[in-house]
Amino acid sequence: MNQIVLSIIAYAVQRDIDAAKLCQLAGINLTALKKNNAPPVTQQQLDALWLHATQLSGDPLFGLHFAASVQPAALGVVGQIIQTSATVGEALTHAAALTHHVTDQCRLEIARNSKNFTVRFIPARGNVNEPTASFRNLVELLMVITIHEVSGLMLEKIVPLTVRLPYHVRDMAAYEQIFRCRPTKRAGEYALVFDARYWDEPILTANYELQNMLLKKVAAITQQQPSKTVNNLQTRVYNYLVANSYLGIISLEEMAANFNLSPRSLQRKLKDEGVKYQEIADAVRKSLALYYISSGSYPLKDISYMLGYNELSAFTRAFRRWTGSSPLQYQSL
């Protein structure tokens, strides 16, 4: 997130805003922020940064215009992994699995069928239909990056079939220009829908060796700092399961022990956040299943076993519940 904050400040400077004044108003120590080991910017600081950047620029759509200008470097190592992916589908699959390295405010989910694929941005908490200005700017930023940056890595301009937001936008013409599609309002959903033909489009900057090195780097960071920048328990649990997926999806009792809690305490704390452990485990299974199948490196029977299913039929039923299609049908798309 600090890399994105630096990019917001840099963009503000290009808009003739004094960086020192903006950071002072937002309560951000710019000198400290530039250091590699800088503590993460707090949610309060980020909220203030968006607010004062909007006020000082005199641009009510400052966040949207910033989103249109963002470079992959703003996403740090995650942006590099996206750039080195072989295809659009692989890039989005990695992005969905690694979003927590960019923000703990939301996660990505991808659903595919024979005609299109949908990228959904799922808030970790809060009222989806009445988001804070900060969260709205963040999700719109991630949505615009998905469109523009992937498009910039191939020989074709990606245009979404549909853009869904849970609110009415203030300036439809500006949103339509930047999203390349007229947004529609749908309660409870942030989503981009693309034609299925984009999924297998090759990426010009693909580099398997570099990507493999970057993925190992991300795995090491995740294992060393599993929860330093994460506030809510459900995100910490989700990230732990993803980072330790080679161990399989562990039980509630094992997860509770990792967080020095009793199973009952873990259940209660997750319930307070409006989620059950099984729901988080299922979300991780779904994300991993989509990744393993899309990679083309694993037989379905092995994937079923890695995700903790004793029978392929049980995995098939779960996969159909998640995506509306069987693993075999998804694999053949």
Side-chain angles (χ1 to χ4, degrees):
M1 178 58 76
N2 283 7
Q3 190 62 50
I4 290 180
V5 170
L6 285 170
S7 296
I8 295 171
I9 296 169
Y11 177 71
V13 170
Q14 298 304 311
R15 298 287 299 269
D16 297 322
I17 296 173
D18 182 79
K21 181 179 180 180
L22 176 60
C23 289
Q24 181 181 23
L25 290 170
I28 293 173
N29 184 327
L30 184 56
T31 302
L33 184 65
K34 292 177 181 178
K35 297 179 180 178
N36 291 332
N37 60 347
V41 169
T42 67
Q43 188 60 50
Q44 184 178 3
Q45 289 173 320
L46 183 58
D47 290 344
L49 181 66
W50 284 119
L51 173 64
H52 292 294
T54 299
Q55 291 177 342
L56 292 173
S57 67
D59 179 6
L61 296 179
F62 176 90
L64 188 67
H65 292 142
F66 163 69
S69 74
V70 167
Q71 299 298 313
L75 299 181
V77 68
V78 177
Q80 291 178 290
I81 290 171
I82 291 171
Q83 288 179 293
T84 53
S85 296
T87 64
V88 170
E90 182 181 293
L92 292 175
T93 301
H94 282 309
L98 300 171
T99 305
H100 62 278
H101 286 282
V102 178
T103 177
D104 65 343
Q105 299 296 302
C106 71
R107 58 185 172 84
L108 268 63
E109 284 190 358
I110 301 172
R112 292 174 64 200
N113 58 42
S114 59
K115 295 182 179 179
N116 56 59
F117 61 91
T118 301
V119 183
R120 291 188 175 87
F121 300 76
I122 314 296
R125 52 190 170 273
N127 188 330
V128 178
N129 298 314
E130 296 180 7
T132 64
S134 177
F135 183 78
R136 177 171 173 161
N137 284 330
L138 173 65
V139 178
E140 289 181 359
L141 167 64
L142 294 176
M143 295 177 79
V144 172
I145 287 176
T146 301
I147 298 169
H148 287 234
E149 297 314 322
V150 173
S151 188
L153 300 174
M154 50 190 288
L155 293 174
E156 186 172 355
K157 183 177 180 179
I158 285 185
V159 178
L161 296 174
T162 308
V163 174
R164 298 178 188 139
L165 298 170
Y167 43 75
H168 288 297
V169 299
R170 180 181 301 180
D171 187 335
M172 182 61 76
Y175 273 78
E176 187 170 1
Q177 179 183 14
I178 292 174
F179 279 94
R180 302 176 182 172
C181 176
R182 190 177 183 86
T184 58
K185 180 183 178 183
R186 178 177 290 188
E189 187 171 16
Y190 297 89
L192 301 171
V193 183
F194 299 96
D195 190 289
R197 67 188 177 86
Y198 291 129
W199 186 261
D200 293 316
E201 280 293 311
I203 287 179
L204 300 176
T205 51
N207 186 324
Y208 174 79
E209 290 77 14
L210 176 57
Q211 185 188 74
N212 192 43
M213 181 188 73
L214 292 168
L215 287 169
K216 288 180 179 178
K217 178 180 177 181
V218 167
I221 293 171
T222 301
Q223 290 176 4
Q224 292 168 7
Q225 300 176 323
S227 61
K228 285 187 176 180
T229 62
V230 180
N231 296 320
N232 64 323
L233 182 60
Q234 62 177 296
T235 305
R236 291 170 61 196
V237 169
Y238 183 92
N239 292 349
Y240 184 92
L241 288 172
V242 171
N244 297 278
S245 57
Y246 63 93
L247 298 173
I249 304 299
I250 63 176
S251 68
L252 170 68
E253 289 73 21
E254 291 171 306
M255 179 59 72
N258 280 307
F259 285 91
N260 295 316
L261 296 169
S262 69
R264 181 173 294 182
S265 294
L266 179 61
Q267 285 179 312
R268 186 182 70 254
K269 289 177 180 293
L270 289 175
K271 184 178 180 181
D272 290 342
E273 295 182 8
V275 69
K276 298 177 181 178
Y277 179 71
Q278 188 58 50
E279 293 172 342
I280 301 174
D282 267 358
V284 173
R285 283 192 179 96
K286 176 183 176 181
S287 178
L288 292 173
L290 295 175
Y291 171 73
Y292 290 145
I293 292 175
S294 297
S295 72
S297 302
Y298 307 94
L300 292 179
K301 188 174 181 180
D302 289 351
I303 295 174
S304 173
Y305 176 77
M306 287 189 293
L307 296 179
Y309 294 96
N310 293 326
E311 300 290 340
L312 181 58
S313 59
F315 171 57
T316 299
R317 287 194 298 273
F319 194 88
R320 192 180 294 278
R321 186 177 75 250
W322 298 330
T323 67
S325 64
S326 71
L328 192 60
Q329 290 170 326
Y330 187 91
Q331 194 176 45
S332 64
L333 291 178

PDB file of all heavy atoms in Angstrom, residues 72-107:
ATOM      1  N   PRO A  72       2.350   0.200 -13.610  1.00  0.00           N
ATOM      2  CA  PRO A  72       2.435  -1.062 -12.863  1.00  0.00           C
ATOM      3  C   PRO A  72       3.335  -0.995 -11.639  1.00  0.00           C
ATOM      4  O   PRO A  72       3.143  -1.735 -10.676  1.00  0.00           O
ATOM      5  CB  PRO A  72       3.009  -2.035 -13.910  1.00  0.00           C
ATOM      6  CG  PRO A  72       2.618  -1.469 -15.223  1.00  0.00           C
ATOM      7  CD  PRO A  72       2.653   0.024 -15.034  1.00  0.00           C
ATOM      8  N   ALA A  73       4.332  -0.100 -11.649  1.00  0.00           N
ATOM      9  CA  ALA A  73       5.253   0.010 -10.520  1.00  0.00           C
ATOM     10  C   ALA A  73       4.530   0.337  -9.223  1.00  0.00           C
ATOM     11  O   ALA A  73       5.019   0.031  -8.131  1.00  0.00           O
ATOM     12  CB  ALA A  73       6.305   1.076 -10.806  1.00  0.00           C
ATOM     13  N   ALA A  74       3.350   0.957  -9.333  1.00  0.00           N
ATOM     14  CA  ALA A  74       2.583   1.302  -8.137  1.00  0.00           C
ATOM     15  C   ALA A  74       2.148   0.064  -7.368  1.00  0.00           C
ATOM     16  O   ALA A  74       1.851   0.143  -6.175  1.00  0.00           O
ATOM     17  CB  ALA A  74       1.363   2.138  -8.519  1.00  0.00           C
ATOM     18  N   LEU A  75       2.099  -1.085  -8.035  1.00  0.00           N
ATOM     19  CA  LEU A  75       1.701  -2.327  -7.384  1.00  0.00           C
ATOM     20  C   LEU A  75       2.902  -3.136  -6.888  1.00  0.00           C
ATOM     21  O   LEU A  75       2.733  -4.251  -6.407  1.00  0.00           O
ATOM     22  CB  LEU A  75       0.866  -3.185  -8.344  1.00  0.00           C
ATOM     23  CG  LEU A  75      -0.446  -2.577  -8.834  1.00  0.00           C
ATOM     24  CD1 LEU A  75      -1.166  -3.561  -9.748  1.00  0.00           C
ATOM     25  CD2 LEU A  75      -1.338  -2.166  -7.680  1.00  0.00           C
ATOM     26  N   GLY A  76       4.098  -2.556  -7.023  1.00  0.00           N
ATOM     27  CA  GLY A  76       5.282  -3.237  -6.521  1.00  0.00           C
ATOM     28  C   GLY A  76       5.512  -4.576  -7.199  1.00  0.00           C
ATOM     29  O   GLY A  76       5.338  -4.733  -8.408  1.00  0.00           O
ATOM     30  N   VAL A  77       5.901  -5.587  -6.393  1.00  0.00           N
ATOM     31  CA  VAL A  77       6.227  -6.900  -6.933  1.00  0.00           C
ATOM     32  C   VAL A  77       5.015  -7.558  -7.581  1.00  0.00           C
ATOM     33  O   VAL A  77       5.152  -8.321  -8.552  1.00  0.00           O
ATOM     34  CB  VAL A  77       6.823  -7.804  -5.825  1.00  0.00           C
ATOM     35  CG1 VAL A  77       5.781  -8.152  -4.781  1.00  0.00           C
ATOM     36  CG2 VAL A  77       7.414  -9.075  -6.425  1.00  0.00           C
ATOM     37  N   VAL A  78       3.813  -7.251  -7.106  1.00  0.00           N
ATOM     38  CA  VAL A  78       2.605  -7.822  -7.721  1.00  0.00           C
ATOM     39  C   VAL A  78       2.467  -7.327  -9.153  1.00  0.00           C
ATOM     40  O   VAL A  78       2.124  -8.089 -10.069  1.00  0.00           O
ATOM     41  CB  VAL A  78       1.350  -7.462  -6.901  1.00  0.00           C
ATOM     42  CG1 VAL A  78       0.090  -7.985  -7.588  1.00  0.00           C
ATOM     43  CG2 VAL A  78       1.448  -8.041  -5.491  1.00  0.00           C
ATOM     44  N   GLY A  79       2.755  -6.042  -9.381  1.00  0.00           N
ATOM     45  CA  GLY A  79       2.721  -5.509 -10.737  1.00  0.00           C
ATOM     46  C   GLY A  79       3.735  -6.182 -11.640  1.00  0.00           C
ATOM     47  O   GLY A  79       3.466  -6.458 -12.814  1.00  0.00           O
ATOM     48  N   GLN A  80       4.919  -6.499 -11.086  1.00  0.00           N
ATOM     49  CA  GLN A  80       5.950  -7.188 -11.866  1.00  0.00           C
ATOM     50  C   GLN A  80       5.510  -8.604 -12.237  1.00  0.00           C
ATOM     51  O   GLN A  80       5.780  -9.079 -13.343  1.00  0.00           O
ATOM     52  CB  GLN A  80       7.253  -7.242 -11.068  1.00  0.00           C
ATOM     53  CG  GLN A  80       7.927  -5.887 -10.880  1.00  0.00           C
ATOM     54  CD  GLN A  80       9.189  -6.005 -10.028  1.00  0.00           C
ATOM     55  OE1 GLN A  80       9.118  -6.252  -8.835  1.00  0.00           O
ATOM     56  NE2 GLN A  80      10.331  -5.841 -10.661  1.00  0.00           N
ATOM     57  N   ILE A  81       4.849  -9.269 -11.308  1.00  0.00           N
ATOM     58  CA  ILE A  81       4.366 -10.629 -11.585  1.00  0.00           C
ATOM     59  C   ILE A  81       3.313 -10.598 -12.684  1.00  0.00           C
ATOM     60  O   ILE A  81       3.280 -11.458 -13.570  1.00  0.00           O
ATOM     61  CB  ILE A  81       3.829 -11.281 -10.295  1.00  0.00           C
ATOM     62  CG1 ILE A  81       4.995 -11.580  -9.349  1.00  0.00           C
ATOM     63  CG2 ILE A  81       3.049 -12.559 -10.601  1.00  0.00           C
ATOM     64  CD1 ILE A  81       4.581 -12.016  -7.966  1.00  0.00           C
ATOM     65  N   ILE A  82       2.438  -9.607 -12.645  1.00  0.00           N
ATOM     66  CA  ILE A  82       1.422  -9.455 -13.695  1.00  0.00           C
ATOM     67  C   ILE A  82       2.106  -9.238 -15.049  1.00  0.00           C
ATOM     68  O   ILE A  82       1.741  -9.853 -16.052  1.00  0.00           O
ATOM     69  CB  ILE A  82       0.480  -8.287 -13.361  1.00  0.00           C
ATOM     70  CG1 ILE A  82      -0.396  -8.637 -12.148  1.00  0.00           C
ATOM     71  CG2 ILE A  82      -0.403  -7.924 -14.570  1.00  0.00           C
ATOM     72  CD1 ILE A  82      -1.206  -7.476 -11.621  1.00  0.00           C
ATOM     73  N   GLN A  83       3.119  -8.378 -15.072  1.00  0.00           N
ATOM     74  CA  GLN A  83       3.809  -8.066 -16.318  1.00  0.00           C
ATOM     75  C   GLN A  83       4.541  -9.270 -16.908  1.00  0.00           C
ATOM     76  O   GLN A  83       4.699  -9.366 -18.126  1.00  0.00           O
ATOM     77  CB  GLN A  83       4.821  -6.935 -16.095  1.00  0.00           C
ATOM     78  CG  GLN A  83       4.203  -5.576 -15.887  1.00  0.00           C
ATOM     79  CD  GLN A  83       5.275  -4.519 -15.652  1.00  0.00           C
ATOM     80  OE1 GLN A  83       5.958  -4.528 -14.642  1.00  0.00           O
ATOM     81  NE2 GLN A  83       5.410  -3.618 -16.604  1.00  0.00           N
ATOM     82  N   THR A  84       5.000 -10.180 -16.065  1.00  0.00           N
ATOM     83  CA  THR A  84       5.779 -11.322 -16.555  1.00  0.00           C
ATOM     84  C   THR A  84       4.926 -12.562 -16.802  1.00  0.00           C
ATOM     85  O   THR A  84       5.459 -13.620 -17.143  1.00  0.00           O
ATOM     86  CB  THR A  84       6.896 -11.673 -15.548  1.00  0.00           C
ATOM     87  OG1 THR A  84       6.329 -11.850 -14.238  1.00  0.00           O
ATOM     88  CG2 THR A  84       7.935 -10.560 -15.486  1.00  0.00           C
ATOM     89  N   SER A  85       3.609 -12.450 -16.650  1.00  0.00           N
ATOM     90  CA  SER A  85       2.723 -13.588 -16.898  1.00  0.00           C
ATOM     91  C   SER A  85       2.662 -13.910 -18.384  1.00  0.00           C
ATOM     92  O   SER A  85       2.921 -13.053 -19.233  1.00  0.00           O
ATOM     93  CB  SER A  85       1.316 -13.286 -16.371  1.00  0.00           C
ATOM     94  OG  SER A  85       1.310 -13.133 -14.970  1.00  0.00           O
ATOM     95  N   ALA A  86       2.293 -15.140 -18.699  1.00  0.00           N
ATOM     96  CA  ALA A  86       2.263 -15.576 -20.097  1.00  0.00           C
ATOM     97  C   ALA A  86       1.024 -15.090 -20.833  1.00  0.00           C
ATOM     98  O   ALA A  86       1.080 -14.754 -22.018  1.00  0.00           O
ATOM     99  CB  ALA A  86       2.350 -17.099 -20.165  1.00  0.00           C
ATOM    100  N   THR A  87      -0.119 -15.069 -20.139  1.00  0.00           N
ATOM    101  CA  THR A  87      -1.380 -14.694 -20.773  1.00  0.00           C
ATOM    102  C   THR A  87      -2.178 -13.783 -19.849  1.00  0.00           C
ATOM    103  O   THR A  87      -1.871 -13.647 -18.655  1.00  0.00           O
ATOM    104  CB  THR A  87      -2.242 -15.938 -21.072  1.00  0.00           C
ATOM    105  OG1 THR A  87      -2.606 -16.558 -19.822  1.00  0.00           O
ATOM    106  CG2 THR A  87      -1.500 -16.931 -21.950  1.00  0.00           C
ATOM    107  N   VAL A  88      -3.219 -13.184 -20.401  1.00  0.00           N
ATOM    108  CA  VAL A  88      -4.108 -12.338 -19.597  1.00  0.00           C
ATOM    109  C   VAL A  88      -4.729 -13.152 -18.466  1.00  0.00           C
ATOM    110  O   VAL A  88      -4.803 -12.701 -17.320  1.00  0.00           O
ATOM    111  CB  VAL A  88      -5.218 -11.727 -20.481  1.00  0.00           C
ATOM    112  CG1 VAL A  88      -6.297 -11.057 -19.625  1.00  0.00           C
ATOM    113  CG2 VAL A  88      -4.618 -10.725 -21.463  1.00  0.00           C
ATOM    114  N   GLY A  89      -5.160 -14.359 -18.774  1.00  0.00           N
ATOM    115  CA  GLY A  89      -5.772 -15.205 -17.760  1.00  0.00           C
ATOM    116  C   GLY A  89      -4.826 -15.510 -16.621  1.00  0.00           C
ATOM    117  O   GLY A  89      -5.214 -15.471 -15.449  1.00  0.00           O
ATOM    118  N   GLU A  90      -3.571 -15.812 -16.959  1.00  0.00           N
ATOM    119  CA  GLU A  90      -2.585 -16.098 -15.916  1.00  0.00           C
ATOM    120  C   GLU A  90      -2.315 -14.855 -15.082  1.00  0.00           C
ATOM    121  O   GLU A  90      -2.186 -14.926 -13.854  1.00  0.00           O
ATOM    122  CB  GLU A  90      -1.289 -16.600 -16.538  1.00  0.00           C
ATOM    123  CG  GLU A  90      -0.222 -16.960 -15.509  1.00  0.00           C
ATOM    124  CD  GLU A  90       1.073 -17.425 -16.153  1.00  0.00           C
ATOM    125  OE1 GLU A  90       1.049 -18.506 -16.780  1.00  0.00           O
ATOM    126  OE2 GLU A  90       2.093 -16.718 -16.024  1.00  0.00           O
ATOM    127  N   ALA A  91      -2.238 -13.693 -15.733  1.00  0.00           N
ATOM    128  CA  ALA A  91      -1.984 -12.440 -15.018  1.00  0.00           C
ATOM    129  C   ALA A  91      -3.093 -12.158 -14.012  1.00  0.00           C
ATOM    130  O   ALA A  91      -2.835 -11.796 -12.859  1.00  0.00           O
ATOM    131  CB  ALA A  91      -1.872 -11.284 -16.014  1.00  0.00           C
ATOM    132  N   LEU A  92      -4.337 -12.341 -14.433  1.00  0.00           N
ATOM    133  CA  LEU A  92      -5.466 -12.082 -13.538  1.00  0.00           C
ATOM    134  C   LEU A  92      -5.539 -13.113 -12.417  1.00  0.00           C
ATOM    135  O   LEU A  92      -5.907 -12.790 -11.286  1.00  0.00           O
ATOM    136  CB  LEU A  92      -6.769 -12.072 -14.335  1.00  0.00           C
ATOM    137  CG  LEU A  92      -6.934 -10.896 -15.304  1.00  0.00           C
ATOM    138  CD1 LEU A  92      -8.205 -11.053 -16.134  1.00  0.00           C
ATOM    139  CD2 LEU A  92      -6.969  -9.579 -14.533  1.00  0.00           C
ATOM    140  N   THR A  93      -5.181 -14.351 -12.724  1.00  0.00           N
ATOM    141  CA  THR A  93      -5.172 -15.396 -11.700  1.00  0.00           C
ATOM    142  C   THR A  93      -4.153 -15.070 -10.617  1.00  0.00           C
ATOM    143  O   THR A  93      -4.432 -15.197  -9.418  1.00  0.00           O
ATOM    144  CB  THR A  93      -4.867 -16.770 -12.325  1.00  0.00           C
ATOM    145  OG1 THR A  93      -5.868 -17.072 -13.309  1.00  0.00           O
ATOM    146  CG2 THR A  93      -4.884 -17.863 -11.269  1.00  0.00           C
ATOM    147  N   HIS A  94      -2.963 -14.633 -11.027  1.00  0.00           N
ATOM    148  CA  HIS A  94      -1.954 -14.225 -10.054  1.00  0.00           C
ATOM    149  C   HIS A  94      -2.429 -12.996  -9.268  1.00  0.00           C
ATOM    150  O   HIS A  94      -2.236 -12.917  -8.047  1.00  0.00           O
ATOM    151  CB  HIS A  94      -0.636 -13.903 -10.749  1.00  0.00           C
ATOM    152  CG  HIS A  94       0.165 -15.103 -11.146  1.00  0.00           C
ATOM    153  ND1 HIS A  94       0.465 -16.116 -10.260  1.00  0.00           N
ATOM    154  CD2 HIS A  94       0.738 -15.468 -12.325  1.00  0.00           C
ATOM    155  CE1 HIS A  94       1.182 -17.046 -10.860  1.00  0.00           C
ATOM    156  NE2 HIS A  94       1.358 -16.676 -12.123  1.00  0.00           N
ATOM    157  N   ALA A  95      -3.026 -12.044  -9.963  1.00  0.00           N
ATOM    158  CA  ALA A  95      -3.501 -10.834  -9.288  1.00  0.00           C
ATOM    159  C   ALA A  95      -4.515 -11.177  -8.207  1.00  0.00           C
ATOM    160  O   ALA A  95      -4.477 -10.619  -7.104  1.00  0.00           O
ATOM    161  CB  ALA A  95      -4.123  -9.878 -10.310  1.00  0.00           C
ATOM    162  N   ALA A  96      -5.408 -12.115  -8.513  1.00  0.00           N
ATOM    163  CA  ALA A  96      -6.428 -12.516  -7.536  1.00  0.00           C
ATOM    164  C   ALA A  96      -5.793 -13.158  -6.309  1.00  0.00           C
ATOM    165  O   ALA A  96      -6.227 -12.933  -5.178  1.00  0.00           O
ATOM    166  CB  ALA A  96      -7.421 -13.479  -8.180  1.00  0.00           C
ATOM    167  N   ALA A  97      -4.755 -13.955  -6.523  1.00  0.00           N
ATOM    168  CA  ALA A  97      -4.101 -14.649  -5.409  1.00  0.00           C
ATOM    169  C   ALA A  97      -3.216 -13.721  -4.585  1.00  0.00           C
ATOM    170  O   ALA A  97      -2.945 -14.004  -3.416  1.00  0.00           O
ATOM    171  CB  ALA A  97      -3.270 -15.811  -5.937  1.00  0.00           C
ATOM    172  N   LEU A  98      -2.785 -12.590  -5.178  1.00  0.00           N
ATOM    173  CA  LEU A  98      -1.791 -11.745  -4.517  1.00  0.00           C
ATOM    174  C   LEU A  98      -2.308 -10.369  -4.109  1.00  0.00           C
ATOM    175  O   LEU A  98      -1.540  -9.530  -3.637  1.00  0.00           O
ATOM    176  CB  LEU A  98      -0.580 -11.559  -5.447  1.00  0.00           C
ATOM    177  CG  LEU A  98       0.160 -12.838  -5.849  1.00  0.00           C
ATOM    178  CD1 LEU A  98       1.189 -12.533  -6.924  1.00  0.00           C
ATOM    179  CD2 LEU A  98       0.823 -13.482  -4.636  1.00  0.00           C
ATOM    180  N   THR A  99      -3.599 -10.125  -4.260  1.00  0.00           N
ATOM    181  CA  THR A  99      -4.152  -8.806  -3.942  1.00  0.00           C
ATOM    182  C   THR A  99      -3.846  -8.377  -2.519  1.00  0.00           C
ATOM    183  O   THR A  99      -3.647  -7.192  -2.237  1.00  0.00           O
ATOM    184  CB  THR A  99      -5.684  -8.797  -4.156  1.00  0.00           C
ATOM    185  OG1 THR A  99      -5.980  -9.222  -5.482  1.00  0.00           O
ATOM    186  CG2 THR A  99      -6.264  -7.402  -3.952  1.00  0.00           C
ATOM    187  N   HIS A 100      -3.781  -9.340  -1.597  1.00  0.00           N
ATOM    188  CA  HIS A 100      -3.542  -8.985  -0.192  1.00  0.00           C
ATOM    189  C   HIS A 100      -2.168  -8.368   0.025  1.00  0.00           C
ATOM    190  O   HIS A 100      -1.917  -7.764   1.075  1.00  0.00           O
ATOM    191  CB  HIS A 100      -3.712 -10.221   0.710  1.00  0.00           C
ATOM    192  CG  HIS A 100      -2.753 -11.333   0.436  1.00  0.00           C
ATOM    193  ND1 HIS A 100      -2.948 -12.246  -0.582  1.00  0.00           N
ATOM    194  CD2 HIS A 100      -1.580 -11.671   1.029  1.00  0.00           C
ATOM    195  CE1 HIS A 100      -1.943 -13.113  -0.579  1.00  0.00           C
ATOM    196  NE2 HIS A 100      -1.106 -12.787   0.387  1.00  0.00           N
ATOM    197  N   HIS A 101      -1.266  -8.491  -0.953  1.00  0.00           N
ATOM    198  CA  HIS A 101       0.036  -7.831  -0.841  1.00  0.00           C
ATOM    199  C   HIS A 101      -0.065  -6.359  -1.228  1.00  0.00           C
ATOM    200  O   HIS A 101       0.864  -5.587  -0.986  1.00  0.00           O
ATOM    201  CB  HIS A 101       1.068  -8.518  -1.729  1.00  0.00           C
ATOM    202  CG  HIS A 101       1.526  -9.839  -1.195  1.00  0.00           C
ATOM    203  ND1 HIS A 101       2.436  -9.951  -0.180  1.00  0.00           N
ATOM    204  CD2 HIS A 101       1.165 -11.109  -1.518  1.00  0.00           C
ATOM    205  CE1 HIS A 101       2.647 -11.233   0.098  1.00  0.00           C
ATOM    206  NE2 HIS A 101       1.882 -11.950  -0.710  1.00  0.00           N
ATOM    207  N   VAL A 102      -1.174  -5.969  -1.841  1.00  0.00           N
ATOM    208  CA  VAL A 102      -1.403  -4.581  -2.228  1.00  0.00           C
ATOM    209  C   VAL A 102      -2.295  -3.885  -1.208  1.00  0.00           C
ATOM    210  O   VAL A 102      -2.048  -2.751  -0.810  1.00  0.00           O
ATOM    211  CB  VAL A 102      -2.039  -4.507  -3.636  1.00  0.00           C
ATOM    212  CG1 VAL A 102      -2.324  -3.050  -4.019  1.00  0.00           C
ATOM    213  CG2 VAL A 102      -1.136  -5.161  -4.667  1.00  0.00           C
ATOM    214  N   THR A 103      -3.358  -4.575  -0.767  1.00  0.00           N
ATOM    215  CA  THR A 103      -4.305  -4.003   0.181  1.00  0.00           C
ATOM    216  C   THR A 103      -5.032  -5.105   0.933  1.00  0.00           C
ATOM    217  O   THR A 103      -5.211  -6.202   0.405  1.00  0.00           O
ATOM    218  CB  THR A 103      -5.348  -3.122  -0.542  1.00  0.00           C
ATOM    219  OG1 THR A 103      -6.307  -2.640   0.401  1.00  0.00           O
ATOM    220  CG2 THR A 103      -6.079  -3.898  -1.625  1.00  0.00           C
ATOM    221  N   ASP A 104      -5.445  -4.791   2.161  1.00  0.00           N
ATOM    222  CA  ASP A 104      -6.268  -5.726   2.913  1.00  0.00           C
ATOM    223  C   ASP A 104      -7.733  -5.296   2.894  1.00  0.00           C
ATOM    224  O   ASP A 104      -8.565  -5.850   3.603  1.00  0.00           O
ATOM    225  CB  ASP A 104      -5.779  -5.835   4.368  1.00  0.00           C
ATOM    226  CG  ASP A 104      -5.951  -4.530   5.141  1.00  0.00           C
ATOM    227  OD1 ASP A 104      -6.135  -3.470   4.496  1.00  0.00           O
ATOM    228  OD2 ASP A 104      -5.900  -4.557   6.385  1.00  0.00           O
ATOM    229  N   GLN A 105      -8.043  -4.300   2.055  1.00  0.00           N
ATOM    230  CA  GLN A 105      -9.395  -3.769   2.005  1.00  0.00           C
ATOM    231  C   GLN A 105     -10.341  -4.590   1.132  1.00  0.00           C
ATOM    232  O   GLN A 105     -11.554  -4.516   1.278  1.00  0.00           O
ATOM    233  CB  GLN A 105      -9.374  -2.328   1.480  1.00  0.00           C
ATOM    234  CG  GLN A 105      -8.575  -1.367   2.339  1.00  0.00           C
ATOM    235  CD  GLN A 105      -9.165  -1.196   3.713  1.00  0.00           C
ATOM    236  OE1 GLN A 105     -10.311  -0.796   3.861  1.00  0.00           O
ATOM    237  NE2 GLN A 105      -8.385  -1.518   4.733  1.00  0.00           N
ATOM    238  N   CYS A 106      -9.788  -5.356   0.204  1.00  0.00           N
ATOM    239  CA  CYS A 106     -10.637  -6.172  -0.663  1.00  0.00           C
ATOM    240  C   CYS A 106      -9.817  -7.302  -1.266  1.00  0.00           C
ATOM    241  O   CYS A 106      -8.596  -7.320  -1.160  1.00  0.00           O
ATOM    242  CB  CYS A 106     -11.283  -5.328  -1.774  1.00  0.00           C
ATOM    243  SG  CYS A 106     -10.126  -4.774  -3.047  1.00  0.00           S
ATOM    244  N   ARG A 107     -10.500  -8.246  -1.879  1.00  0.00           N
ATOM    245  CA  ARG A 107      -9.846  -9.327  -2.595  1.00  0.00           C
ATOM    246  C   ARG A 107     -10.525  -9.490  -3.956  1.00  0.00           C
ATOM    247  O   ARG A 107     -11.630  -8.971  -4.184  1.00  0.00           O
ATOM    248  CB  ARG A 107      -9.915 -10.636  -1.800  1.00  0.00           C
ATOM    249  CG  ARG A 107     -11.315 -11.100  -1.461  1.00  0.00           C
ATOM    250  CD  ARG A 107     -11.283 -12.340  -0.566  1.00  0.00           C
ATOM    251  NE  ARG A 107     -12.601 -12.687  -0.086  1.00  0.00           N
ATOM    252  CZ  ARG A 107     -13.486 -13.403  -0.749  1.00  0.00           C
ATOM    253  NH1 ARG A 107     -13.174 -13.857  -1.965  1.00  0.00           N
ATOM    254  NH2 ARG A 107     -14.674 -13.682  -0.251  1.00  0.00           N
TER     255      ARG A 107
END
